[in-house]
Amino acid sequence: MYYCIHKNCMKPFLKIIGIAIGIKILYFVFAVSISSYVINLGLSYNSSSYVTTVKSNDSYWYEMISNNGYRKITDKKDIGYHKGTIYKQSEWAFFPMYPLIIRGTNILFNSDFNKSGIFWSVIFSLLSFIGFYIWMNKSENALYCTLIFMCFPFHYYFSMLYTEALFFGCMIFSFIAIRQKKLWLLSILLIPLTLLRPNGIALILPLYLYFLEQEKVFEGYKLRIKRIDKKILLKSIAFLTAPIVFVLYGLYQQQMTGEFFAFIIAQSGWYKNSAFPLFSLFNSGDFTTQFFSIYTLLFFMIGIISWKRLPLSINILIWLMLLLPMCAGSMISMPRFISILFPFSIIIGTWIYKMKWKYLFIAILFAFQLATYYFWLIGNSMGY
């Protein structure tokens, strides 16, 4: 599927870009208004205040890695651990692609983390929204579902100095590359995808299943083994870039820390330990854990209700990306992991599209998004 550059073809993209930029402006206006009338955050209409509204929490870890790289570790405890109220955190919990892009930009343009981060947050978020629209394949409700995706609660992460936009962009264009049979592009996209987040390598499974569905090896949930021939095996080579890069990064971690899976050990510094995913639900009495547990269960319900209507690859994508983060024994940051699950925006958008109050629904969603953005601004755990 190709898109022309005719004015009518470009109109939806221009709308998406305009709305996305308008949303970013609204974030800033909302933040300054909150600072003026609700809680003093020291914000005003200037560039330094804007940086404050998009930079928080993990952004500072990415900045440290971008500026200083990863430290060599000689004591395993320095990778990360916790014991009661005592804990140790390190940069090894974070993957290198995002800070590497920022560092490269800083060197090329004599910039700094804030300027480069804001530049790329705009570029990557716009690409994410456009990618979502392209994935909808010119369907009747394509633009509406894209608006749902842009305005959904917690989706402000796509405009922050975080990895969500870059990760989602690589993921959605990987699916698009498979559909358009551009496996050379897929092999390239899998490299940053693997080096952005620990669950990037896990995306190989739904992506490969989608590839097999496109090749008619899977029809519905039926595997046609006889259709696996030499041609399909040769095409499958495109997927090898992900495991190769993952192994190379593991060897780098081993050289620097003595641990191939240093990123897993480092999670202990954030009080994350291996657990059966469902045991993470409601495992703490604090409000954040309770709210995130309920929020996650809502998506469980949507996933269950929609199971039969979705192809195997998309179902695996949903449940893999939901359950893997919960294996860390914590519900913290679950909205971040859920935010990249684009099928939910399509499912909800399809449900609401035929209703008269469909645009009122988007306004309500965006109001909730601003409410969740408030927690980011005040540094509350709800914004982690």
Side-chain angles (χ1 to χ4, degrees):
M1 180 186 65
Y2 298 91
Y3 281 82
C4 67
I5 56 173
H6 188 272
K7 183 178 179 181
N8 290 335
C9 295
M10 292 300 295
K11 190 174 181 180
F13 298 108
L14 295 175
K15 283 184 179 179
I16 291 169
I17 292 171
I19 293 170
I21 292 174
I23 286 174
K24 294 177 192 301
I25 293 172
L26 285 175
Y27 289 154
F28 188 41
V29 172
F30 174 78
V32 175
S33 299
I34 288 293
S35 181
S36 299
Y37 301 108
V38 180
I39 180 172
N40 185 12
L41 301 173
L43 301 176
S44 58
Y45 290 105
N46 56 53
S47 58
S48 61
S49 289
Y50 182 76
V51 171
T52 301
T53 65
V54 298
K55 181 181 181 183
S56 186
N57 305 321
D58 292 349
S59 302
Y60 294 97
W61 284 102
Y62 292 124
E63 181 176 27
M64 184 177 71
I65 298 168
S66 177
N67 293 337
N68 306 315
Y70 291 92
R71 295 171 298 160
K72 189 171 181 62
I73 301 294
T74 55
D75 186 347
K76 184 176 178 179
K77 284 187 176 180
D78 289 334
I79 300 176
Y81 78 97
H82 71 267
K83 186 176 182 180
T85 58
I86 301 173
Y87 64 93
K88 173 73 174 181
Q89 298 175 336
S90 81
E91 67 274 17
W92 286 103
F94 302 91
F95 271 41
M97 194 68 211
Y98 180 66
L100 185 62
I101 289 174
I102 301 296
R103 183 176 180 83
T105 307
N106 291 346
I107 293 172
L108 283 174
F109 299 100
N110 192 27
S111 185
D112 58 31
F113 179 84
N114 294 338
K115 293 176 184 176
S116 298
I118 290 171
F119 170 78
W120 285 119
S121 74
V122 173
I123 299 299
F124 292 144
S125 63
L126 293 179
L127 286 174
S128 293
F129 302 145
I130 289 171
F132 181 97
Y133 179 81
I134 293 174
W135 171 255
M136 291 294 293
N137 203 15
K138 293 187 176 180
S139 61
E140 179 187 6
N141 61 345
L143 184 58
Y144 183 76
C145 288
T146 304
L147 292 177
I148 292 282
F149 182 70
M150 294 165 68
C151 295
F152 214 84
F154 292 103
H155 284 205
Y156 63 83
Y157 286 122
F158 287 89
S159 297
M160 304 299 111
L161 304 192
Y162 264 24
T163 60
E164 270 65 29
L166 177 55
F167 186 86
F168 180 84
C170 290
M171 180 183 70
I172 197 67
F173 279 105
S174 291
F175 276 104
I176 292 169
I178 293 171
R179 186 171 67 193
Q180 296 186 355
K181 301 187 184 305
K182 297 179 179 179
L183 296 183
W184 62 269
L185 176 59
L186 170 71
S187 64
I188 294 172
L189 290 170
L190 289 178
I191 295 173
L193 194 60
T194 304
L195 294 176
L196 277 166
R197 284 183 173 183
N199 56 350
I201 188 67
L203 278 171
I204 293 300
L205 178 55
L207 284 169
Y208 192 67
L209 286 173
Y210 182 66
F211 163 74
L212 294 179
E213 288 168 349
Q214 295 297 297
E215 296 293 331
K216 307 301 181 183
V217 174
F218 265 102
E219 289 187 340
Y221 287 76
K222 293 181 179 180
L223 175 62
R224 309 293 188 185
I225 297 179
K226 293 182 178 180
R227 294 183 181 177
I228 300 177
D229 55 18
K230 184 178 179 181
K231 185 177 180 181
I232 288 178
L233 292 176
L234 287 173
K235 288 181 179 180
S236 299
I237 294 174
F239 289 85
L240 291 180
T241 53
I244 290 172
V245 168
F246 184 77
V247 169
L248 289 175
Y249 181 57
L251 292 173
Y252 172 72
Q253 291 178 97
Q254 190 169 43
Q255 181 185 19
M256 294 291 287
T257 69
E259 300 290 340
F260 187 90
F261 293 105
F263 70 92
I264 295 178
I265 297 171
Q267 297 299 320
S268 183
W270 279 262
Y271 289 82
K272 294 184 177 182
N273 299 294
S274 298
F276 182 70
L278 297 183
F279 290 166
S280 297
L281 294 166
F282 305 103
N283 66 353
S284 179
D286 63 283
F287 177 79
T288 298
T289 298
Q290 301 296 306
F291 180 86
F292 285 174
S293 295
I294 295 171
Y295 187 76
T296 302
L297 285 175
L298 288 174
F299 289 97
F300 272 37
M301 292 174 61
I302 296 173
I304 292 170
I305 293 170
S306 306
W307 175 271
K308 293 183 179 180
R309 303 176 188 175
L310 301 174
L312 178 62
S313 58
I314 299 302
N315 275 318
I316 295 298
L317 170 70
I318 288 173
W319 291 102
L320 196 61
M321 294 298 107
L322 280 176
L323 295 175
L324 268 182
M326 295 172 65
C327 289
S330 172
M331 298 303 295
I332 294 297
S333 299
M334 275 305 296
R336 291 182 60 188
F337 295 104
I338 292 172
S339 70
I340 60 122
L341 291 175
F342 62 92
F344 288 129
S345 293
I346 298 173
I347 294 166
I348 295 170
T350 302
W351 287 346
I352 305 297
Y353 183 67
K354 297 296 184 180
M355 299 182 181
K356 291 182 179 180
W357 44 272
K358 59 184 177 182
Y359 289 109
L360 174 60
F361 181 75
I362 288 179
I364 293 171
L365 275 185
F366 186 65
F368 276 112
Q369 186 185 107
L370 290 179
T372 59
Y373 179 50
Y374 169 78
F375 293 104
W376 164 277
L377 292 172
I378 65 173
N380 186 274
S381 59
M382 289 277 289
Y384 289 174

